[in-house]
Amino acid sequence: MLIKESFGPSDFERLVDEENATASRLIFTDQSILDIEQEKVFTKAWLYVGHDTEIPNVGDYVTRQMALDPVILVRAEDGKPQVLLNSCSHRGTQVCGTDVGNTKGFVCPYHGWVFGLDGGLKATADDMDLYEGKVDFKTLDLTKAAQVGSYAGLIFATWNEEADSLEDYLGDARWYLDLFHNRTPEGMEVLGPPQRWVVNTNWKLGAMNFAADGPHAVQVHGPITAATFNVPPSIFRDALVDSPAVSMGNGHNGIFTQIPEVLKDQVPPYLGTYPDLIPVLESHLDPKQTELNRHLLAGVTTMFPNFSSVQGAITFDNESLPVNFLGIRVWQPISATETEIWNWFLVEKEAPQEWKESAAKAGVRTFTPCGTFDQDDAEAWVAINKGISGTMSRKGDINFQMALAYRDKTIPDFPGPGRAYPSNYGEVTEFDVLLEWQKYMKT
Amino acid sequence: MTSTVSETEYRELSNFLFAEADLLSDHNYVEWEKLLAEDLHYKIPIPQFLEQKGARQIGTIGTDNYNDNIDSMRIRLNLLKNPATTTSERVRSLLNHVVGNVLVSKVSDNEYECKSTITVHRTRFNQKHPTTISGRRTDLIRRTDIGFQLVKRHVKLTQAILMTSNVSYFF
């Protein structure tokens, strides 16, 4: 029996069993493990903070979370995004208390200390001379993220000075992120501010589900998929079983579900992307990316640790053609059994306004707390946390052993990089998130 | 055109809102659907916290919890009418829709704007305390040959971060 205080690198060796494809239930319920994660994962990895189009102009800012830490994502005077800890260097007060805005700087509401867009301290309360020169004000800037980077409009930050560049961190996953975020020359834009809700579950369950869990899709989403496409759920089971899952490296994973043969006429190519943009998309993406993307029914990925993208094509009237929705989200840990989901929808900048509205509706009706897909997912994750929190029920494992059947079966001639497996049902990519997590926790 | 309404009209419209809320609390989506107009627009945007100075919007469309027409609403209702098809309501929640502060004005020969407050308490299996979400509603309600129908509903929620795993019910 593991004693909480004893969790150390060697315990994490045992808590995820790579050979057996299982993980201890404790890693989803134990608060002391979450506390260790905060240091070992969330101050070390690159974390998603916002989209380039959320802060188009100098002085534009949004307030965000990097796990438990409140931060400000702001476009500084040099035009580059900055990520500042939203905590005054004087008493620690949050210096910014709004969701979004434009400003010349941040003024602490407590003593009026003033900080520039780069986090530099500009003024203390009243007169800086009162300190009689005894204080080095250069040490009293707002804390900045050690590195800020962006790829295809997605802005990430890390507290880790020694982290690889974002480019290297994402690595081969960029090839797959392109299918979601880099489809046209102008790229994607967010449709609106983030939607937020709190689910009583561990953040890893959401991150893993989007990395992605094929087998749940028929059980949980079969009826709504059948209702919107007018075919029996078994059609989707077959599509999931026969579609690829990819481990992209560095803990980034996803599935790429292909359109079932019977739906080829119903689902437009490239997941219902705005039709006029298809020629642009085909010339912008690499032919091999196009090959994977052309007949997709759904694509779901998680970039380690907690940033996910989901896209699909859906219609809600059985008449009009399905429209592409692209959702992105962050699984913010609050406690071992509470996760705050931050959720946005995106669309191609080149699309006309009317299409953008359709894309927003397709998103809102599917992957949100009121969405016909999401509302059922969260139900299952909460039930896991309820199911594994007792004295007996937290002993034992969570099981990913479909991986035993699939982990040695890679697709040799797959168009994209990384390791591709032949089934969304394989559980290999979902489990890979925990293998990456284990690497961080063992250090 | 906005005009005040008679005592009778106020009573009629209030009764409509109370009866409608009762159907929702009963999960009686068959009867509730009959109250919806074919040109329904049901919208619940997410609230934002903005400072007056420097206020701006993210994106050109905005973000909603609900943004439905009659077609998408019927898909939702078809799921909820058959609980086996939706995990979130396979076991019915306990729901209590409380309507208050009803204000009625007439906006055309056969249409009324009704403002009201709505508080929904919801409890699930094994949940100790109900999840409570409230909002301020502005409805457009039409008098028809078969009774009143809901044409538009716009709800301003008083909660920006929803403390619940899902909202598979209505306001």
Side-chain angles (χ1 to χ4, degrees):
Chain A
M1 185 65 190
L2 293 157
I3 308 298
K4 280 185 184 183
E5 289 71 22
S6 75
F7 285 136
S10 62
D11 293 307
F12 292 107
E13 188 70 50
R14 288 180 289 143
L15 287 167
V16 179
D17 185 341
E18 180 171 7
E19 187 56 36
N20 204 35
T22 54
S24 165
R25 293 177 169 205
L26 284 176
I27 70 171
F28 302 99
T29 58
D30 192 280
Q31 186 60 31
S32 62
I33 291 180
L34 185 117
D35 295 340
I36 298 168
E37 281 173 353
Q38 293 300 312
E39 280 292 335
K40 298 216 168 197
V41 176
F42 290 97
T43 68
K44 299 290 186 250
W46 281 90
L47 306 176
Y48 183 74
V49 287
H51 199 269
D52 204 48
T53 58
E54 291 185 280
I55 49 164
N57 302 310
V58 169
D60 284 351
Y61 68 87
V62 290
T63 47
R64 293 290 144 86
Q65 292 290 127
M66 288 171 72
L68 295 175
D69 287 307
V71 295
I72 306 166
L73 168 63
V74 59
R75 192 165 302 276
E77 267 135 21
D78 62 2
K80 290 184 182 150
Q82 281 276 4
V83 174
L84 311 170
L85 199 59
N86 189 1
S87 175
C88 185
S89 50
H90 183 217
R91 293 282 205 278
T93 319
Q94 284 200 350
V95 295
C96 183
T98 60
D99 289 326
V100 49
N102 178 280
T103 188
K104 291 193 164 65
F106 300 98
V107 181
C108 179
Y110 196 6
H111 299 93
W113 285 32
V114 179
F115 301 89
L117 298 180
D118 61 353
L121 177 65
K122 296 209 156 151
T124 59
D126 302 316
D127 193 344
M128 286 167 107
D129 291 340
L130 293 175
Y131 283 91
E132 294 182 353
K134 291 183 193 282
V135 174
D136 178 6
F137 292 115
K138 288 195 187 75
T139 64
L140 291 171
D141 293 346
L142 293 179
T143 300
K144 282 185 212 176
Q147 301 185 57
V148 178
S150 73
Y151 183 76
L154 308 167
I155 304 171
F156 294 80
T158 178
W159 303 113
N160 182 3
E161 279 171 22
E162 287 156 18
D164 290 342
S165 69
L166 178 65
E167 216 168 47
D168 291 341
Y169 179 82
L170 293 173
D172 284 343
R174 288 173 296 166
W175 193 93
Y176 296 96
L177 279 176
D178 285 349
L179 306 182
F180 298 77
H181 299 289
N182 189 19
R183 311 196 276 223
T184 57
E186 288 185 37
M188 310 298 283
E189 67 181 39
V190 289
L191 288 161
Q195 190 170 17
R196 298 163 63 180
W197 68 103
V198 174
V199 179
N200 290 330
T201 194
N202 186 276
W203 67 273
K204 294 191 286 298
L205 289 166
M208 289 186 328
N209 178 279
F210 275 57
D213 188 305
H216 88 289
V218 172
Q219 169 72 18
V220 177
H221 308 308
I224 175 63
T225 317
T228 46
F229 282 107
N230 235 343
V231 292
S234 61
I235 299 287
F236 297 104
R237 183 200 170 270
D238 296 346
L240 290 158
V241 169
D242 294 332
S243 292
V246 183
S247 273
M248 307 161 194
N250 293 350
H252 313 315
N253 290 275
I255 59 171
F256 298 89
T257 312
Q258 302 291 309
I259 303 170
E261 202 55 43
V262 296
L263 285 180
K264 281 262 158 74
D265 295 336
Q266 272 193 59
V267 183
Y270 305 106
L271 297 104
T273 298
Y274 180 58
D276 290 3
L277 283 175
I278 287 176
V280 180
L281 182 146
E282 286 181 331
S283 63
H284 188 69
L285 290 175
D286 176 278
K288 289 189 168 179
Q289 290 174 308
T290 309
E291 182 188 333
L292 179 61
N293 212 20
R294 182 191 296 269
H295 296 301
L296 272 187
L297 178 70
V300 195
T301 62
T302 292
M303 300 294 115
F304 187 84
N306 63 339
F307 172 70
S308 296
S309 301
V310 56
Q311 64 168 328
I314 200 154
T315 175
F316 278 84
D317 60 17
N318 287 329
E319 282 168 18
S320 53
L321 279 176
V323 170
N324 181 265
F325 65 86
L326 170 57
I328 58 172
R329 61 177 53 188
V330 180
W331 312 94
Q332 295 290 9
I334 296 177
S335 73
T337 56
E338 284 172 297
T339 301
E340 183 175 330
I341 302 173
W342 293 57
N343 194 65
W344 298 255
F345 292 102
L346 308 175
V347 73
E348 288 83 359
K349 282 182 190 165
E350 294 95 332
Q353 197 67 5
E354 198 176 302
W355 185 267
K356 290 175 183 174
E357 281 171 22
S358 300
K361 284 178 194 161
V364 161
R365 295 167 185 174
T366 49
F367 281 92
T368 71
C370 313
T372 47
F373 284 76
D374 233 322
Q375 61 191 20
D376 293 337
D377 276 322
E379 206 57 29
W381 305 328
V382 172
I384 292 175
N385 267 103
K386 282 183 177 166
I388 63 175
S389 294
T391 308
M392 291 303 292
S393 58
R394 73 174 173 228
K395 294 174 184 170
D397 297 324
I398 286 197
N399 182 295
F400 300 90
Q401 287 182 314
M402 190 72 90
L404 302 182
Y406 279 97
R407 65 188 174 193
D408 296 323
K409 287 182 198 161
T410 50
I411 305 174
D413 53 350
F414 195 71
R419 290 169 66 84
Y421 303 90
S423 177
N424 290 182
Y425 266 52
E427 298 185 348
V428 183
T429 56
E430 201 175 357
F431 187 56
D432 188 66
V433 176
L434 291 186
L435 294 177
E436 188 71 13
W437 176 86
Q438 183 182 41
K439 284 182 202 160
Y440 279 77
M441 297 295 275
K442 280 188 335 195
T443 57
Chain B
M1 176 184 97
T2 303
S3 64
T4 51
V5 295
S6 67
E7 281 295 316
T8 312
E9 285 172 308
Y10 182 81
R11 179 50 59 196
E12 284 178 318
L13 269 303
S14 298
N15 282 348
F16 172 77
L17 293 176
F18 297 150
E20 185 231 332
D22 203 49
L23 291 174
L24 288 175
S25 294
D26 277 341
H27 299 270
N28 191 342
Y29 302 109
V30 173
E31 291 304 314
W32 191 68
E33 186 182 339
K34 293 177 186 168
L35 306 180
L36 305 177
E38 285 300 309
D39 52 341
L40 174 75
H41 188 197
Y42 183 93
K43 189 173 163 81
I44 308 183
I46 64 161
Q48 285 270 284
F49 292 95
L50 305 173
E51 218 164 348
Q52 253 182 336
K53 195 178 164 214
R56 63 183 187 91
Q57 293 296 327
I58 294 173
T60 59
I61 305 293
T63 304
D64 300 302
N65 289 299
Y66 278 98
N67 187 359
D68 283 87
N69 60 15
I70 192 71
D71 291 325
S72 61
M73 185 58 91
R74 286 201 171 114
I75 297 238
R76 293 180 183 278
L77 295 176
N78 285 342
L79 291 174
L80 291 167
K81 285 177 203 165
N82 306 294
T85 63
T86 167
T87 318
S88 58
E89 286 295 334
R90 184 164 296 153
V91 177
R92 292 293 200 201
S93 313
L94 299 176
L95 287 172
N96 185 8
H97 290 68
V98 183
V99 179
N101 293 24
V102 178
L103 297 168
V104 181
S105 56
K106 197 162 186 175
V107 292
S108 77
D109 286 347
N110 64 341
E111 288 177 331
Y112 299 86
E113 184 187 89
C114 295
K115 290 187 170 184
S116 60
T117 57
I118 181 79
T119 303
V120 185
H121 306 284
R122 181 202 199 196
T123 310
R124 325 289 310 282
F125 166 69
N126 246 342
Q127 184 182 345
K128 293 186 181 77
H129 304 289
T131 302
T132 298
I133 301 176
S134 68
R136 300 169 68 202
R137 304 191 298 192
T138 302
D139 298 337
L140 183 69
I141 295 171
R142 184 181 295 147
R143 190 192 290 276
T144 75
D145 295 341
I146 53 167
F148 288 115
Q149 288 202 313
L150 182 65
V151 185
K152 283 184 193 163
R153 173 158 288 166
H154 185 278
V155 190
K156 286 184 190 170
L157 293 184
T158 36
Q159 202 168 312
I161 304 170
L162 299 175
M163 300 300 288
T164 179
S165 49
N166 52 38
V167 181
S168 48
Y169 55 97
F170 304 101
F171 293 87

